[in-house]
Each structure stands twice: as structure tokens, then as C-alpha cells.
Amino acid sequence: MDQNTQSPEALEKQKQFFERARKGVLQYLNDQGGKLNMSELHDYSMKKFLIQHQRFSIMMESFVGEGLVEFDSMTQDTMLTDAGRTFIQKVL
């Protein structure tokens, strides 16, 4: 079933799950010292939240776009920002 045929309730549940996953991935990054290689974050998101490659890319783009992380394309390292630390303190 694609998103165009899902009920509003199902879409809202998916949105809530994705937000919990975003917070969880950022919390993991914080717990690991605030800096990890992107492949380590990808592995964690896949194992913990079943977030596959395409959705992980969307997640990472949202992190960077919102200033929650900085990403070094040369080293593939992801660094948590102060805004990211603030985000994980929010109650979902």
C-alpha cells in the first residue's frame, strides 16, 4: 500500500515513528561522544529502527538541513551540533 492510499491515521503513525527514530539516532550519536562515521549511524538506524538506505538518506538530509548535525563529506563523519543536543532533549 503506498502513501496515497493509506489512512491519515497510518500516515500519522509513520510520521511519529520516523520522529522517534530521528531522536533515537541522534541520541545514539550523542551517547557515542557526538561524532561517528555515517556508516556506523546507518548500521545503527537499520538494526534499531529498521530504517533502510533511502529513508536513512532522507533522515540524514533532514539532520543536516535543520542544523542538527554537521557532515564532513571527505571523512564521512557526522558530528552532533548544539541544536542536535537540544533536539534530543525534546519530548516527542
Side-chain angles (χ1 to χ4, degrees):
M1 184 180 291
D2 66 39
Q3 287 191 344
N4 293 330
T5 59
Q6 291 182 355
S7 71
E9 295 82 13
L11 292 173
E12 182 59 29
K13 284 183 181 181
Q14 287 178 6
K15 180 181 173 187
Q16 289 174 2
F17 173 80
F18 192 68
E19 283 304 304
R20 283 193 310 275
R22 282 175 20 105
K23 184 175 180 177
V25 169
L26 289 178
Q27 182 65 58
Y28 179 74
L29 178 58
N30 186 61
D31 293 347
Q32 302 306 307
K35 179 179 177 182
L36 282 176
N37 190 274
M38 186 171 60
S39 65
E40 293 174 79
L41 277 183
H42 183 273
D43 288 346
Y44 177 78
S45 73
M46 191 166 52
K47 290 175 185 171
K48 178 74 176 176
F49 299 103
L50 304 176
I51 302 289
Q52 298 293 323
H53 182 72
Q54 184 178 14
R55 292 293 285 173
F56 180 76
S57 294
I58 292 168
M59 181 182 287
M60 283 298 297
E61 289 173 4
S62 73
F63 290 160
V64 172
E66 294 172 37
L68 304 177
V69 302
E70 293 178 358
F71 178 70
D72 184 332
S73 60
M74 296 292 286
T75 63
Q76 298 289 295
D77 287 336
T78 306
M79 289 84 47
L80 190 63
T81 65
D82 289 339
R85 286 181 184 85
T86 299
F87 177 83
I88 60 178
Q89 298 304 316
K90 291 182 189 177
V91 176
L92 292 180

